[in-house]
Amino acid sequence: MKNVIWLIAGIGIGFVAAHQVSRTPQGAQFFDDVDTKAREFGAAVVDGYKAREAELRAAVAEAEDTIADLTSRLK
């Protein structure tokens, strides 16, 4: 329980410090840069996910076609 209190206190102190730093021009620029990089990273993750999903869908479609072809040959 003591560790949870320290964690919450640390998070609170971090938010207060970040708020104070963001009031300066350099701090605002720093947080803008961090925000830009975080958005770029998120976009890259989404793009990678969509690309992999497309690959898997294509593989499943190919497998379905192969199974249908084999099934039709057996009849």
Side-chain angles (χ1 to χ4, degrees):
M1 185 68 178
K2 184 178 178 182
N3 290 336
V4 173
I5 292 171
W6 281 111
L7 176 67
I8 292 170
I11 291 171
I13 292 169
F15 276 118
V16 170
H19 182 69
Q20 292 299 320
V21 170
S22 70
R23 290 183 175 182
T24 65
Q26 296 89 356
Q29 181 63 40
F30 170 76
F31 285 116
D32 286 343
D33 292 343
V34 169
D35 184 53
T36 300
K37 290 177 183 178
R39 289 181 190 275
E40 289 173 356
F41 176 75
V45 169
V46 169
D47 291 344
Y49 177 85
K50 288 181 179 180
R52 182 64 178 148
E53 182 182 24
E55 291 172 6
L56 292 173
R57 288 186 185 276
V60 168
E62 184 179 334
E64 288 174 343
D65 291 343
T66 302
I67 291 169
D69 184 44
L70 291 173
T71 304
S72 68
R73 288 183 186 182
L74 291 175
K75 292 182 180 181

